[in-house]
């Protein structure tokens, strides 16, 4: 089973700053099957990125994703107040069929 | 609009059973795989199960295999999760989500969740 490890656990930044979140897989993952979500308190998760670098509908272009193999990242170019949330990466495995989430990165206001 | 609404959560004793439902609207339900994901209090997301569009293929996390059963009724635009032999560690908010596949795999629509509490 592939394990996704996100870092850092908590990231403290100010609005306007740049945020870079990391997601490392225990073995190589197809970038097609790597997605990112964020979740605000009391809300359901929301899809941000799929295929590692494609933005979901309605996601602003300050969000970008990159990576391949075992190392993926999500970058927020200029933080807005609404971006402070918990961020999760997710991958889909085929042997056996399964879905794995990272443990999350909490992005908090400094 | 595209919407998923979960129901059926509640308080149940260890060893008990519960059936969750997820009502879909605003899209062609029978065209999509569907999934259940849960989140224990203060914890991260944990995938539980997913089911193919026809219902013929079902997959489960090891933590629930043999105890939970996913199913769907495409005529009723509904997804279900039958949970048996419940344990304290099954306490969580349970979300249903629409799965997008075909060269990718991600969950693009989520419900607001239903809370399951397993406690004596």
């Amino acid at each position: 089973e592939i394990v996704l490890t996100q870092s850092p656990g908590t990231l403290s930044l100010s609005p306007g700053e740049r945020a870079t979140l990391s997601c490392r897989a225990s073995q190589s993952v197809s970038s097609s099957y790597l997605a990112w979500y964020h979740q605000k308190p009391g809300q359901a998760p929301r899809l941000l990125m799929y295929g590692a670098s494609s933005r979901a509908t309605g996601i602003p272009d300050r969000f970008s994703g990159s990576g391949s193999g075992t190392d993926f990242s999500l970058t927020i170019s200029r933080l807005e107040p609404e971006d402070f949330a918990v961020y999760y990466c997710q991958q889909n495995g085929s042997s056996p069929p399964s879905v794995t989430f990272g443990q999350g990165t909490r992005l908090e206001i400094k | 609009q595209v919407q998923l609404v979960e129901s059926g959560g509640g308080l149940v004793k260890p060893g008990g059973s519960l059936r969750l439902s997820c009502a879909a609207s605003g899209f062609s339900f029978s065209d999509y795989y569907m999934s259940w994901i849960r989140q224990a209090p203060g914890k991260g997301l944990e995938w539980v199960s997913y089911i193919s569009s026809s219902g013929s293929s079902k997959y489960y996390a090891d933590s629930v295999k043999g105890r939970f059963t996913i199913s769907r009724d495409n005529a009723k635009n509904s997804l279900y999760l039958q949970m048996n032999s419940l344990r304290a560690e099954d306490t969580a908010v349970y979300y249903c989500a629409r799965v997008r596949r075909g060269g990718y795999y991600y969950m693009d629509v989520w419900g607001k969740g239903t809370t399951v509490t397993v406690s004596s």
Side-chain angles (χ1 to χ4, degrees):
Chain A
E1 176 186 314
I2 295 177
V3 175
L4 298 178
T5 302
Q6 294 185 240
S7 62
T10 301
L11 186 57
S12 299
L13 294 170
S14 301
E17 290 193 290
R18 180 185 184 91
T20 301
L21 288 66
S22 172
C23 176
R24 178 162 290 178
S26 58
Q27 55 187 280
S28 186
V29 171
S30 168
S31 59
S32 296
Y33 298 125
L34 197 287
W36 290 91
Y37 306 82
H38 72 181
Q39 184 181 34
K40 298 177 185 178
Q43 296 185 19
R46 181 184 181 187
L47 175 70
L48 296 173
M49 312 290 299
Y50 64 93
S53 59
S54 296
R55 276 187 299 276
T57 302
I59 301 303
D61 61 7
R62 64 178 182 273
F63 289 88
S64 62
S66 64
S68 63
T70 60
D71 290 303
F72 298 88
S73 63
L74 176 72
T75 299
I76 310 169
S77 59
R78 293 174 313 279
L79 286 166
E80 297 286 343
E82 61 267 27
D83 298 335
F84 292 92
V86 180
Y87 288 76
Y88 296 96
C89 57
Q90 170 252 309
Q91 71 88 31
N92 164 249
S94 58
S95 298
S98 63
V99 176
T100 308
F101 288 93
Q103 84 280 16
T105 289
R106 180 178 304 276
L107 178 56
E108 63 177 28
I109 299 177
K110 188 173 181 180
Chain B
Q1 74 278 24
V2 175
Q3 193 173 11
L4 297 171
V5 179
E6 303 92 338
S7 61
L11 175 63
V12 61
K13 289 182 168 53
S17 298
L18 211 55
R19 188 195 196 206
L20 305 184
S21 299
C22 171
S25 59
F27 65 99
S28 181
F29 180 73
S30 60
D31 288 343
Y32 291 88
Y33 280 41
M34 297 294 295
S35 186
W36 288 99
I37 301 96
R38 68 184 180 184
Q39 186 170 36
K43 302 297 184 182
L45 301 173
E46 179 189 15
W47 170 72
V48 172
S49 179
Y50 74 82
I51 186 170
S52 63
S53 52
S54 66
S56 61
S57 298
K58 306 174 184 182
Y59 305 98
Y60 300 93
D62 287 344
S63 58
V64 306
K65 202 172 293 182
R67 300 188 299 122
F68 289 13
T69 302
I70 191 171
S71 62
R72 65 191 297 160
D73 185 336
N74 286 342
K76 294 184 177 179
N77 291 336
S78 292
L79 176 72
Y80 306 103
L81 186 67
Q82 178 67 43
M83 304 186 295
N84 298 332
S85 303
L86 283 161
R87 307 166 180 166
E89 53 265 36
D90 296 318
T91 294
V93 176
Y94 284 74
Y95 297 100
C96 67
R98 185 175 79 172
V99 176
R100 300 301 296 271
R101 299 173 60 250
Y104 298 101
Y105 188 104
Y106 55 93
M107 289 159 279
D108 67 337
V109 179
W110 295 64
K112 294 186 188 309
T114 187
T115 300
V116 172
T117 303
V118 184
S119 174
S120 55

